Amino acid sequence: MPSYRDFHRLSIDDPETFWREQARRIHWDTPFDTVLDRSNPPFARWFVGGRTNLCHNAVDRHLADRAQQNALVYVSTETGIERRYTYAELYAEINRMAAVMRSLGVKRGERVLLYLPMIPEALFAMLACARLGAIHSVVFGGFAAPSLAARIDDAKPVLIVTADAGARGGKVIDYTPLMDEALARAKHQPAHVLLIDRQLAPERLNATYLVAYEPLREQFFDAHVPCEWLESNEPSYVLYTSGTTGKPKGVVRDVGGYAVALAASMEYIFQGRAGDTMFTASDIGWVVGHSYIIYAPLLAGLTTVMYEGTPIRPDGGIWWRLVEQHRINLMFTAPTALRVLKKQDPALLKKSDLSSLRTLFLAGEPLDEPTSAWIADALGKPVVDNYWQTETGWPILAIPGGVEALPPKLGSPGVPSYGYDVTLRNEATGDECTPGEKGVIAIGYPLPPGCMKTVWGDDARFVSTYWSSVPGHQLYSTFDWGIQDEDGYVTILGRTDDVINVAGHRLGTREIEEALSSHAAVAEVAVVGVTDVVKGQVAFAFVVVRDAQQFADDKARNKLASELMKTVDRQLGAIGRPARVLLVSMLPKTRSGKLLRRAIAALAEGREPGDLPTIEDASALTMVRDALAGR
Ligand code: AMP
């Protein structure tokens, strides 16, 4: 094996040679004729002309060697259900689901929107789409009806797959009234809604849409649906993510590049081998779920563990018991989960036999040093951070342990992964930063295989959002600040835009502001991210009301705050709910009317906002201070 440095250099200097070699990890029904088409930057096409299929590579291909190996272990501590599926059984379930979808008119290139809890059928449905060449768009089950409606209108699915309910922390979340409302709001209407009945809640879905899954599954029980061989650059899925505007962007992924990138990452970053068991504690609604619950472990012939529940129910030892019971080798989660577990009885961790576990991977938000040190010490295993985004699909920064055992450095997720030409750039000049100098983390053209191809239905937005913010250079911006040291390790210093990260979930402050503004009492609002010991960040909302007289006393103010939180729950979903709603009579702004968000966030974190020469009225800062102090 070459050194990390040589390996990375080759991937940047000669991506064709590098990725041609990596492409051998997957099956191509028709070989590609060009590794990389760079004729239309910043767009890049990988493995042009090659035909392949994600479902074939994730499932069918393994039937020869591992038909009887578990492909999926499903555990729900919400319902008490535990199921195992071998690769052969998984193949059968996916074929049933694909046949059902086909009977409902789903074809190659069409969209299927999945609004599903963590149940095995969610995985079957994603892979059934892949099999048919249909484009799945998974919407996180925590999103409310208006957010769901916006995604329905953007993706225009022919089919929606949903369930009667989700469950979290022992509470059943009825999905069908929510779906009804979303469909009533959406302009686009799917031909059908396929309902997986978990028998957790009464079905209340409007009957004209409804198709029950179970009878159709019986009807197509013995179906074999051939894989559609897709050109490598056809879309495999759309996954919506938040940005600075109120309108979420549909991140488009391809087929061949994604398969190759994930398969390579399993060796070089996650060091997972066929036959291993991997437990990624995330949700299928997020990118970590797409890549490391579903596709990567299966592409590489592992057993994937899919878990519905929280890390602390029935108690804080549940995850460690899963490790023991299922001989889990690799675990992947977000730091928030560990901060939650840290508050539990530490003895719970010692009660289970963790000898099968090799490494715990973490991503999605900054890993603070106390949490990192606590878990590494408690587990006695390597804890490995990695940094990436919905857009990239796999780690930008990591410790590529499968290439070279580089020592981790506390506070840094690691070095640029092979394929990523990472530089730090001065925000004002676009010049490269020197080691130790803070800059925007940028990636050179082309993005490696597996990364975002475009914004769904909006190529211009892909270029203007991601490739136009570094002055003088056409570079991809991550919108994260960072510092790179002499050895190439990067430390992440937070977002450059108005995106916040609550418990590893990415939210646009603008989306929360729009939800709050829909309340009749609100004249103006600013939402900022504030550091939180458990969730990393939480949202604080500073609200200017239309009629201050109405909210003069505490009771009226508290009532309004709770109403506003409910408004966010209804408009966006509980994940967007601000931790605090504070009434102010004025927001700090510049003379040109721009909100001084960084100043507000500083005050909320108990820091001084620094010099603000452009502020219109400095007394607005005092009002924010007073509101925070409860005055
Ligand atoms: P998402 O697209 O939801 O995965 O969110 C991506 C964002 O989460 C990044 O742009 C970062 O701001 C943050 N993030 C992800 N992983 C890390 C990490 N390991 N350390 C620090 N921040 C991270």
Side-chain angles (χ1 to χ4, degrees):
M1 203 67 206
S3 69
Y4 155 73
R5 215 165 273 282
D6 292 345
F7 193 70
H8 184 263
R9 184 97 325 273
L10 174 69
S11 75
I12 303 305
D13 291 349
D14 187 0
E16 280 87 354
T17 301
F18 183 90
W19 290 106
R20 179 180 287 111
E21 188 59 29
Q22 298 303 328
R24 302 202 318 195
R25 295 174 182 276
I26 69 158
H27 169 81
W28 298 91
D29 186 63
T30 307
F32 49 87
D33 37 57
T34 310
V35 176
L36 169 61
D37 167 12
R38 348 177 167 214
S39 61
N40 184 24
F43 299 90
R45 288 164 19 102
W46 289 99
F47 312 118
V48 183
R51 291 187 174 269
T52 186
N53 181 287
L54 275 165
C55 185
H56 175 89
N57 279 286
V59 183
D60 301 30
R61 194 170 50 123
H62 301 307
L63 293 177
D65 295 335
R66 45 191 86 252
Q68 298 317 316
Q69 178 195 310
N70 281 333
L72 168 66
V73 171
Y74 173 73
V75 180
S76 169
T77 48
E78 298 291 345
T79 57
I81 290 173
E82 194 171 318
R83 291 205 190 107
R84 290 157 195 253
Y85 299 84
T86 62
Y87 270 95
E89 288 163 344
L90 184 60
Y91 172 86
E93 290 293 352
I94 292 165
N95 275 276
R96 288 166 197 148
M97 180 69 84
V100 171
M101 287 185 175
R102 195 172 55 179
S103 78
L104 296 174
V106 174
K107 292 192 201 67
R108 175 180 189 155
E110 275 167 339
R111 274 78 57 212
V112 176
L113 187 141
L114 310 182
Y115 188 77
L116 286 168
M118 291 288 281
I119 50 176
E121 287 81 0
L123 181 147
F124 307 157
M126 289 166 80
L127 288 162
C129 287
R131 195 164 189 87
L132 294 169
I135 301 167
H136 60 67
S137 184
V138 183
V139 177
F140 175 60
F143 280 118
S147 306
L148 179 56
R151 287 157 175 80
I152 293 172
D153 278 337
D154 197 69
K156 299 189 173 50
V158 286
L159 175 71
I160 293 179
V161 187
T162 191
D164 55 336
R168 190 162 173 85
K171 257 185 36 204
V172 168
I173 304 138
D174 236 347
Y175 276 11
T176 51
L178 212 140
M179 183 59 73
D180 256 346
E181 189 193 333
L183 288 168
R185 282 171 174 266
K187 288 187 204 72
H188 172 83
Q189 298 294 299
H192 301 284
V193 175
L194 184 63
L195 187 107
I196 320 270
D197 186 4
R198 309 177 72 192
Q199 315 219 319
L200 289 182
E203 286 164 27
R204 273 178 269 165
L205 197 64
N206 184 333
T208 48
Y209 290 106
L210 192 69
V211 186
Y213 178 61
E214 198 48 40
L216 286 174
R217 175 178 175 270
E218 288 298 317
Q219 190 182 327
F220 292 103
F221 201 78
D222 299 317
H224 289 275
V225 177
C227 285
E228 278 284 335
W229 297 111
L230 303 178
E231 200 278 334
S232 175
N233 295 279
E234 285 182 57
S236 57
Y237 68 75
V238 179
L239 179 57
Y240 288 88
T241 190
S242 300
T244 28
T245 66
K247 189 176 181 282
K249 294 179 286 273
V251 167
V252 178
R253 201 85 63 206
D254 68 2
V255 176
Y258 190 50
V260 170
L262 290 186
S265 77
M266 283 308 285
E267 175 177 342
Y268 298 134
I269 298 171
F270 296 94
Q271 294 177 271
R273 295 180 290 265
D276 279 349
T277 298
M278 180 165 188
F279 171 28
T280 298
S282 175
D283 188 280
I284 49 150
W286 309 121
V287 70
V288 173
H290 279 60
S291 291
Y292 294 100
I293 296 175
I294 313 283
Y295 287 110
L298 297 179
L299 285 166
L302 279 75
T303 302
T304 186
V305 178
M306 184 178 190
Y307 175 71
E308 182 186 52
T310 70
I312 51 169
R313 253 182 113 253
D315 60 60
I318 177 66
W319 281 6
W320 315 120
R321 288 200 291 283
L322 291 181
V323 171
E324 175 178 313
Q325 276 162 25
H326 303 288
R327 306 299 300 155
I328 289 166
N329 308 111
L330 307 168
M331 240 177 112
F332 189 176
T333 188
T336 291
L338 297 179
R339 289 193 291 263
V340 168
L341 285 175
K342 203 167 134 190
K343 294 186 160 177
Q344 304 290 310
D345 179 3
L348 287 168
L349 209 145
K350 302 282 177 210
K351 277 192 183 156
S352 298
D353 170 10
L354 305 180
S355 57
S356 60
L357 187 67
R358 295 201 296 268
T359 312
L360 171 65
F361 294 95
L362 296 172
E365 55 176 321
L367 172 61
D368 54 291
E369 296 188 11
T371 303
S372 169
W374 168 75
I375 190 68
D377 184 48
L379 281 179
K381 314 268 177 181
V383 173
V384 181
D385 190 9
N386 54 104
Y387 156 86
W388 46 298
Q389 317 180 298
T390 305
E391 287 83 349
T392 66
W394 61 284
I396 304 169
L397 301 172
I399 297 291
V403 181
E404 185 185 339
L406 293 178
K409 288 193 189 181
L410 222 51
S412 162
V415 294
S417 299
Y418 50 89
Y420 289 98
D421 186 10
V422 173
T423 51
L424 278 87
R425 299 281 166 167
N426 181 294
E427 186 186 29
T429 63
D431 293 342
E432 240 186 285
C433 297
T434 51
E437 189 189 343
K438 176 178 169 177
V440 179
I441 303 171
I443 307 170
Y445 177 79
L447 293 178
C451 290
M452 173 178 199
K453 305 302 284 188
T454 187
V455 173
W456 176 253
D458 201 346
D459 286 350
R461 195 171 173 204
F462 176 60
V463 181
S464 65
T465 302
Y466 293 102
W467 294 88
S468 309
S469 74
V470 179
H473 303 268
Q474 194 174 50
L475 292 168
Y476 172 90
S477 175
T478 59
F479 298 102
D480 279 303
W481 296 112
I483 286 185
Q484 192 165 29
D485 73 9
E486 299 275 358
D487 300 325
Y489 288 70
V490 180
T491 300
I492 312 293
L493 301 172
R495 297 280 302 195
T496 66
D497 57 7
D498 295 328
V499 166
I500 60 171
N501 195 320
V502 179
H505 299 163
R506 172 165 158 188
L507 295 165
T509 48
R510 199 71 59 87
E511 286 172 272
I512 306 174
E513 286 169 2
E514 279 182 20
L516 289 165
S517 302
S518 70
H519 191 287
V522 173
E524 241 189 321
V525 55
V527 171
V528 297
V530 179
T531 307
D532 179 83
V533 284
V534 174
K535 295 182 172 179
Q537 273 187 312
V538 290
F540 276 23
F542 293 85
V543 175
V544 180
V545 289
R546 286 183 200 282
D547 179 4
Q549 292 294 325
Q550 246 186 298
F551 304 102
D553 63 88
D554 279 355
K555 202 167 148 219
R557 282 167 179 258
N558 291 342
K559 184 162 167 276
L560 177 67
S562 104
E563 258 177 54
L564 287 172
M565 290 187 189
K566 286 198 190 109
T567 306
V568 176
D569 289 2
R570 269 197 311 276
Q571 295 284 322
L572 192 64
I575 53 165
R577 187 193 303 162
R580 286 182 76 185
V581 174
L582 300 143
L583 267 54
V584 288
S585 45
M586 190 189 345
L587 290 166
K589 287 184 187 166
T590 63
R591 272 178 227 114
S592 56
K594 243 183 119 224
L595 267 174
L596 288 162
R597 291 164 189 284
R598 284 185 203 173
I600 304 174
L603 291 173
E605 289 177 351
R607 293 180 284 116
E608 276 311 305
D611 259 1
L612 297 165
T614 59
I615 194 164
E616 191 188 20
D617 185 343
S619 64
L621 295 174
T622 312
M623 289 176 193
V624 168
R625 262 194 206 100
D626 286 350
L628 285 161
R631 286 193 287 266

